[in-house]
Each structure stands twice: as C-alpha cells, then as structure tokens.
Amino acid sequence: MSATGTWSVGAASVGELVSGRRGEVDRLLDLVRDIGGFSPATMRIAEELGYVREHEVTAAALLLWSGAIEGIPARLEDLEQPDIVRRMCHMAADVQLTSFLQALVTAAVVAGGDVRQGAARIAEALTVVAGIADATERSAPALVFRMWRVGHLPGILRPDAATPERGKAAFRSYDRALEALTASA
C-alpha cells in the first residue's frame, strides 16, 4: 500500500509490487539463502507459502502483520480508513523489518562463518528489504538496526538470558559489525 500511495487495501497488489521489483526480490532471497546456508528446497518454501505472489491484501491481515498495535475496532471495516491503513502500514514495516533482521542475525549466528562477511550480507539484505517496504526511506536500515538492537538484543544478552555465552558473543559481534555498516549507510 505504501507503494500505491493511496492507503487503500483495495489498491494494493502484491503481484505488481513483486513483478516490478523482481530483481530486488530475487537478490533478497539469494542473500537470505547465503546468510543462513539454506538449501534450494528450503528457499522454495517462500514461494510455496505465497508471500511473493499475488494474494488478497485485507485490513485484518494488515492488523495482524502490524502486531495489532492499532487495536481491533468494533467494526472491522473501520480498519480500512486511509489514516488507519497508513498507520498500520508504518507499524507493520517497523515490526516486520525488525523481526526480519532478528531472523537474519539468528540464521547467521547458527550458520557460523565470518562475522564481517555475514554482517555485510545482512546489511545488504536490510537495505534491499527496507527499499521494498518503503521507498521514502522512513524505514532506513540504520533506524531498523537501532529498533532491532533495543527490541531484540536485551532479551538475548541479559546476564540471566538462557542464551549460551558463545551465542551472546556472536550476537554482540554482529551488533558491532552491523552498527559500523549501517552508520555509514
């Protein structure tokens, strides 16, 4: 909906967005595969789930993708008001991009390998996905990184967290590397 500029669920077309940005979507999927060391069969799951092909966009789905921060109104059709759709789109971008970054870093930590190389791929993936999510730079990689850092890292790195010390060290290494990469972006 951000791409249409209308803030209307009826005007949104996932298929048009993906086909118009196919090169970026393919690059993003390649980066995800490389970061996590995923097999081609695993990567086909994204296609099979239908997230990157045409499907109906509903206000109720947008409410879920945005973490239900807006709340559930007495009349669901009230969710289709342009100002509410705009807010949910912005919230969904914040929620989904920080969750995406968390998933990428976790995949990189589990896969092992060189942190600098992994962080460079993660930073590139974050730049690509942020551009797809919002071309106005409202979701700039540096901002997404900072939201991720405060939204996800404390629960992983607290002294009482169940995360093994080796995992904590890896997450801290990615934090430092990504801070350097996103600060210069």
Side-chain angles (χ1 to χ4, degrees):
M1 280 168 267
S2 295
T4 69
T6 65
W7 306 113
S8 168
V9 290
S13 170
V14 175
E16 283 181 32
L17 176 69
V18 170
S19 68
R21 301 190 85 166
R22 189 76 237 183
E24 292 162 281
V25 170
D26 289 343
R27 178 63 185 148
L28 181 62
L29 293 173
D30 287 344
L31 286 163
V32 167
R33 186 193 67 238
D34 291 346
I35 291 163
F38 299 118
S39 70
T42 300
M43 293 306 296
R44 278 193 296 276
I45 292 171
E47 292 286 342
E48 291 170 7
L49 288 174
Y51 292 133
V52 291
R53 66 175 180 252
E54 188 61 48
H55 61 272
E56 183 181 11
V57 178
T58 66
L62 185 55
L63 178 70
L64 294 176
W65 282 100
S66 64
I69 295 169
E70 182 63 34
I72 302 171
R75 295 174 349 117
L76 282 180
E77 55 271 9
D78 288 347
L79 289 175
E80 295 182 20
Q81 294 175 19
D83 61 322
I84 293 175
V85 169
R86 179 188 49 77
R87 282 180 39 80
M88 289 192 302
C89 284
H90 289 164
M91 290 181 273
D94 294 345
V95 169
Q96 298 304 316
L97 290 171
T98 55
S99 294
F100 179 71
L101 181 52
Q102 174 62 17
L104 289 179
V105 175
T106 300
V109 166
V110 170
D114 181 67
V115 170
R116 282 179 290 173
Q117 188 176 52
R121 287 183 178 129
I122 291 169
E124 182 183 350
L126 185 57
T127 299
V128 172
V129 76
I132 292 170
D134 185 2
T136 68
E137 295 189 26
R138 185 189 167 285
S139 300
L143 176 59
V144 174
F145 166 75
R146 289 193 320 269
M147 288 188 296
W148 167 77
R149 174 190 274 166
V150 300
H152 290 272
L153 282 186
I156 294 168
L157 300 177
R158 279 190 336 262
D160 64 338
T163 311
E165 289 304 317
R166 188 172 56 100
K168 287 180 180 180
F171 273 96
R172 285 187 175 105
S173 294
Y174 273 98
D175 172 54
R176 288 183 199 103
L178 288 167
E179 180 180 46
L181 290 168
T182 60
S184 63

